[in-house]
Amino acid sequence: MRRVLSVAGLAVFALPVFAATASAGEIGSKYNPDPLSALQTWGIYGGTIVGGFLVAILITAASSRRGGPPRYRPGQPWEHDEVWVGTRPEELEGERSAKAVPGAGGASGNW
């Protein structure tokens, strides 16, 4: 959901930028266009890129300030329930009586 809102927000902010660039009007004629000044060129091509980065930075800063549930950081104790894929080891009840020996594992291992 957050990604959808981010894309929608970027579209809302980008639309006026693209509209302003498209509505710059006629520059010269069809066969003899007037050249852009260096300031206009940097404003159109560089401003679009810089503006995109600024929007991305603002969205990132706004989402990081909201916070959320605390995350696990390396070195902290794990304070959550265990999650097992498959059967828990204590539920096996001796199905695997043999233990793996060093050097017997891997893709062609005997377990």
Side-chain angles (χ1 to χ4, degrees), residues 4 11 32 40 42 44-45 49 107:
V4 172
N32 188 16
Q40 290 171 327
W42 279 105
I44 292 172
Y45 296 111
I49 295 170

Side-chain angles (χ1 to χ4, degrees), residues 10-70:
L10 284 174
V12 167
F13 287 117
L15 190 62
V17 172
F18 292 139
T21 305
S23 67
E26 293 291 325
I27 300 175
S29 67
K30 180 177 180 180
Y31 300 105
N32 188 16
D34 292 335
L36 295 174
S37 70
L39 183 63
Q40 290 171 327
T41 304
W42 279 105
I44 292 172
Y45 296 111
T48 305
I49 295 170
V50 170
F53 276 107
L54 288 176
V55 168
I57 289 169
L58 289 174
I59 290 173
T60 304
S63 67
S64 66
R65 286 188 182 186
R66 280 192 310 226

